[in-house]
Amino acid sequence: MTKIGIFFGGRSEEHEVSLMSAASVLRVIDRSKFRLILIGITRQGKWLLYDGPTEYIADGRWEALAQRALSEHPETYEIIMGSDSPLSLGKRIDFALPLLHGPYGEDGTLQGLFESMNIPYAGCGVLSSAVAMDKIVARDIFHRAGLTQPGYLRTNREEISRDSEALMQKIEREIGYPAFVKPANMGSSVGLSKVKDRRELAQALMSALRYDRRIIVEQGIFCREVEIAVLGNYEAQLSAVGEIISANEEFYDYDSKYNAGDKTKLCIPAELSQEQEARLRAMAKAAYEAIDGTGFARVDFLIDKCDGTVYINEINTIPGFTEYSMFPRLWMQSGLSYPQLIERIVELGYARYNAENRRQAGDE
Ligand SMILES: Nc1ncnc2c1ncn2[C@@H]1O[C@H](COP(=O)(O)OP(=O)(O)O)[C@@H](O)[C@H]1O
Ligand SMILES: [Mg+2]
């Protein structure tokens, strides 16, 4: 039986979101097909083997159990990164399913570790993960692919401390209000603000700097938000389109994403004109191809409420994975159940790994 390593938690601000995603996957994954090895990563970055109950994952109780197991059986519970030790990760699992969101999980770093250890894994590779995670680089790539997006401007800690007045004037001239200020590498709306004047702009730059030294400032669109899920290696298979009706009317913030209960609504399929739907689908495909996506992703769009223009917002290479999340629900609407979706993701991970190995062996 294939031993699947499920990775959850992690050092990013999205640690809790990852716990929820992993708990959901563990509730539905077909255990007659896969043997599951759970690797929880603490906020401090310690990797722990966990074999306790699934119910203890979402609320964080898993960690104390895993720490205790490690102190009692260090020879079994320690995870060693080197490839030849019998305790090494590569000997324990056949395939990796990373369910981590944000930096050190969704950004290519963990994917790089799997590559160097020769472990096949689910989802996007190193480059596409890194590109999609970095909001500045992603916008540059979308621009080259000819995709319509909000006006944007990049800045960084050095520029802000050198002359923040000049920078804010430039933002007002080139972007205007309302504007969105975002750390380049983050997700779940952490460190992100919508600003309407100079005072809010100054505060927003400071709070974004707490998460990254690079910042993107974007023109704020008065918009509907819709998303499409993608599956496939290089070539995108697209789901139905879903719309988010956020509990917070200003924008889809952290609380509307995870703490709003049923006040945030997902509307699947979204009500759209045929033209808009066709446009969204073409853009989702082009964006996935532009980042060289593999496995799966969710492509998010903003639709201008005034004139209907479709803007690409971002690609999430490890989108929320709970049973209430948009990504699995879009596939359910498209006829793929949650357990089938996980199997497809594993298949695609193996297919990519095999194709790359064949290439390296010179067969292609
Ligand atoms: N340019 C924009 N115009 C209007 N709303 C935006 C814009 N950028 C972001 N938002 C709002 O902020 C939310 C989070 O921004 P996003 O770029 O998706 O970051 P994250 O990676 O944290 O999800 C979006 O879902 C949307 O509600
Ligand atoms: Mg988003």
Side-chain angles (χ1 to χ4, degrees):
M1 213 188 298
T2 308
K3 286 183 286 177
I4 304 250
I6 299 200
F7 294 76
F8 61 89
R11 286 166 59 201
S12 92
E13 294 298 320
E14 294 176 273
H15 181 95
E16 267 86 33
V17 183
S18 164
L19 300 183
M20 293 189 258
S21 290
S24 293
V25 167
L26 290 169
R27 278 195 289 274
V28 300
I29 194 168
D30 187 345
R31 288 168 197 256
S32 70
K33 295 204 172 110
F34 304 117
R35 209 176 122 212
L36 306 182
I37 314 287
L38 310 185
I39 295 122
I41 303 174
T42 67
R43 279 185 169 281
Q44 290 71 37
K46 193 162 168 185
W47 292 40
L48 300 167
L49 215 50
Y50 177 65
D51 55 11
T54 301
E55 304 83 80
Y56 287 10
I57 292 182
D59 64 11
R61 278 183 292 171
W62 69 275
E63 202 175 311
L65 282 188
Q67 296 272 19
R68 197 164 70 220
L70 172 66
S71 62
E72 285 165 8
H73 311 281
E75 64 298 332
T76 317
Y77 280 80
E78 190 176 7
I79 293 176
I80 294 183
M81 298 300 175
S83 55
D84 48 2
S85 152
L87 297 182
S88 87
L89 186 60
K91 294 251 160 58
R92 289 174 192 223
I93 65 174
D94 302 316
F95 185 91
L97 177 57
L99 292 173
L100 297 115
H101 310 294
Y104 319 114
E106 190 178 355
D107 63 352
T109 51
L110 190 63
Q111 290 72 10
L113 178 73
F114 298 144
E115 293 279 350
S116 19
M117 297 189 77
N118 198 21
I119 300 172
Y121 59 95
C124 282
V126 174
L127 181 68
S128 42
S129 302
V131 164
M133 190 75 221
D134 190 293
K135 289 179 162 50
I136 299 174
V137 175
R139 287 257 179 256
D140 290 350
I141 297 221
F142 295 152
H143 176 70
R144 289 186 67 122
L147 298 170
T148 310
Q149 54 187 343
Y152 66 102
L153 180 152
R154 77 199 60 210
T155 184
N156 56 41
R157 173 168 289 132
E158 295 72 32
E159 192 185 11
I160 294 169
S161 50
R162 209 180 311 123
D163 191 348
S164 65
E165 276 300 305
L167 170 68
M168 289 194 287
Q169 276 172 19
K170 183 165 107 184
I171 292 172
E172 287 173 345
R173 215 170 41 241
E174 292 180 18
I175 306 292
Y177 296 114
F180 278 80
V181 179
K182 315 178 182 180
N185 281 278
M186 195 36 79
S188 291
S189 303
V190 174
L192 175 149
S193 328
K194 178 177 182 178
V195 300
K196 294 176 191 136
D197 57 36
R198 174 70 70 99
R199 189 184 55 84
E200 289 179 355
L201 175 59
Q203 274 173 358
L205 290 168
M206 289 306 133
S207 63
L209 278 183
R210 293 195 358 238
Y211 300 97
D212 199 344
R213 55 166 282 279
R214 290 161 65 253
I215 290 178
I216 183 166
V217 183
E218 294 179 7
Q219 172 200 2
I221 310 291
F222 177 55
C223 60
R224 293 168 71 186
E225 292 189 53
V226 300
E227 306 185 337
I228 299 185
V230 183
L231 271 176
N233 287 344
Y234 315 108
E235 234 177 273
Q237 180 197 345
L238 303 177
S239 73
V241 185
E243 178 163 9
I244 287 157
I245 319 248
S246 169
N248 174 353
E249 286 177 17
E250 287 288 334
F251 70 97
Y252 195 30
D253 61 355
Y254 188 92
D255 282 337
S256 321
K257 285 179 180 173
Y258 308 113
N259 302 326
D262 55 6
K263 286 207 198 82
T264 287
K265 293 195 169 55
L266 305 188
C267 175
I268 306 174
E271 273 182 45
L272 297 163
S273 69
Q274 270 187 352
E275 263 169 86
Q276 268 177 332
E277 173 129 8
R279 176 133 189 79
L280 284 160
R281 301 182 80 78
M283 284 173 78
K285 212 168 167 7
Y288 193 67
E289 283 166 15
I291 66 158
D292 199 34
T294 51
F296 61 98
R298 197 191 70 220
V299 190
D300 299 353
F301 298 91
L302 311 172
I303 304 181
D304 193 311
K305 279 190 183 168
C306 305
D307 65 9
T309 307
V310 176
Y311 298 92
I312 182 148
N313 183 28
E314 60 165 347
I315 300 191
N316 291 287
T317 55
I318 309 188
F321 239 94
T322 74
E323 54 259 71
Y324 311 107
S325 302
M326 188 62 109
F327 182 78
R329 289 193 43 197
L330 284 172
W331 286 114
M332 283 176 223
Q333 171 74 25
S334 311
L336 202 61
S337 73
Y338 195 174
Q340 284 170 334
L341 172 63
I342 297 168
E343 280 166 42
R344 182 80 189 115
I345 282 170
V346 174
E347 257 169 44
L348 285 166
Y350 268 116
R352 187 184 58 136
Y353 176 83
N354 292 333
E356 270 166 21
N357 278 358
R358 266 202 307 280
R359 222 175 10 256
Q360 275 160 20
D363 297 348
E364 264 181 8

